[in-house]
Amino acid sequence: MFPLSITPYERRYLQRVRDLLFHNQLVHTHLDWHETDQWLDMQTAPMRLAWYKGRLIGALGVSAPLNRTCWVRLAVVQDHADHLHVLHALWDDLALELRSRFVESVALLAMRDWILRYVPQLGFQYMEDIITLERAGANLPPPRPNHLVIRSAEVSDLEAMAGVDNAAFDPPWQLSLDELRQAHRISASCTVGLLDNMVVAYQLTTLYFDGAHLARLAVLPQMQGLGLGGALLGDVLQRFFRRGVYTMTLNTQSSNTRSRRLYAHYDFKPNGYDLPYWVVRL
Ligand SMILES: CC(C)(COP(=O)(O)OP(=O)(O)OC[C@H]1O[C@@H](n2cnc3c(N)ncnc32)[C@H](O)[C@@H]1OP(=O)(O)O)[C@@H](O)C(=O)NCCC(=O)NCCS
């Protein structure tokens, strides 16, 4: 095997990583709320670079660990390199740091198929599909009676929203306060639901050229099943109707029966764009 050197990512290598991403096919990016340049510019989470004779031929980066888990955010290998050899070398070195930071599992959402040829050899196992649901039109079911006060979220709500998010979602689906701050920044609509002046639910929706995308919907566990999620969903759909936007997509785990029932009730249907979700335990 040809000798590779593996180094941590540093900001001075940003341009080289950009070039590698630009000139090669085997690219995986799952950056959620950030553009690639922005993410590389601010990157502090664990990331490794693979060099051969001084040339950058691979990179592998994860999200900042949260509650002992993280996501593969970026992976790229030079097209004509030995892909598995490079990915293995990057992964083995990165996993050492993740273990030292008490990370217990790493998740991957396969945005493109190429990476699925290699991740089983790195120990990843298939968990389930993340399905995409879509709805169009202005029909809405009558809301269930509730006392929820819904208003646009402010920066001062972010900590309370993070509390709802981390209570409602299990790792690795939780958002850190930094991620929530960035998500709020790029959102087209972000609302909180309050009972007795306490934030008990929130939603966050982004806008694309072809419609809205519900990126986050969460209700405190002890307040679920009372129509609050439906109330926030109905409200945000109406907010977009007022902006002339009548289509909305969303993703959810195929095993999430409660969310799927709610979305079915609001006429969301699968559109077939499903992504496999894989996990490796360290
Ligand atoms: C999924 C989630 C947001 C739903 O919110 P919720 O407040 O529990 O949901 P609701 O009470 O509004 O809806 C739940 C039920 O009421 C039904 N319902 C909601 N609005 C209704 C209405 N207007 N009329 C009749 N039924 C309604 C739903 O179909 C659903 O049916 P079920 O009782 O058979 O499950 C919430 O459970 C949650 O935060 N889960 C954890 C995080 C998560 O999974 N988020 C979504 C990720 S995509």
Side-chain angles (χ1 to χ4, degrees), residues 109 130-131 213 245:
L109 198 57
I130 304 307
I131 59 173
H213 181 75
V245 177

Side-chain angles (χ1 to χ4, degrees), residues 141-145 164-165 167-170 200-202 214-221 223-232 250-253 256-266:
R144 277 188 161 170
V164 171
D165 192 275
F169 287 98
D170 295 329
V200 295
Y202 86 96
L214 177 72
R216 294 303 275 188
L217 178 63
V219 177
L220 274 181
M223 308 304 289
Q224 292 174 6
L226 305 172
L228 305 186
L232 272 177
L250 58 87
N251 298 112
T252 193
Q253 289 164 264
N256 192 334
T257 48
R258 162 152 289 160
S259 72
R260 293 186 67 173
R261 275 206 299 269
L262 174 64
Y263 299 139
H265 194 78
Y266 278 79

Side-chain angles (χ1 to χ4, degrees), residues 187-220:
S187 66
S189 168
C190 185
T191 54
V192 286
L194 299 102
L195 287 175
D196 304 327
N197 232 4
M198 194 181 98
V199 173
V200 295
Y202 86 96
Q203 71 76 28
L204 194 148
T205 299
T206 50
L207 190 57
Y208 296 91
F209 68 94
D210 56 353
H213 181 75
L214 177 72
R216 294 303 275 188
L217 178 63
V219 177
L220 274 181

Side-chain angles (χ1 to χ4, degrees), residues 4-7 20 48-52 54-60 76-77 85-87 89-90:
L4 277 180
S5 68
I6 304 295
T7 68
L20 189 66
R48 291 293 183 278
L49 305 178
W51 306 83
Y52 177 60
R55 292 197 54 197
L56 184 65
I57 65 167
L60 183 62
V76 52
V77 193
H85 175 56
V86 175
L87 282 171
L90 286 163

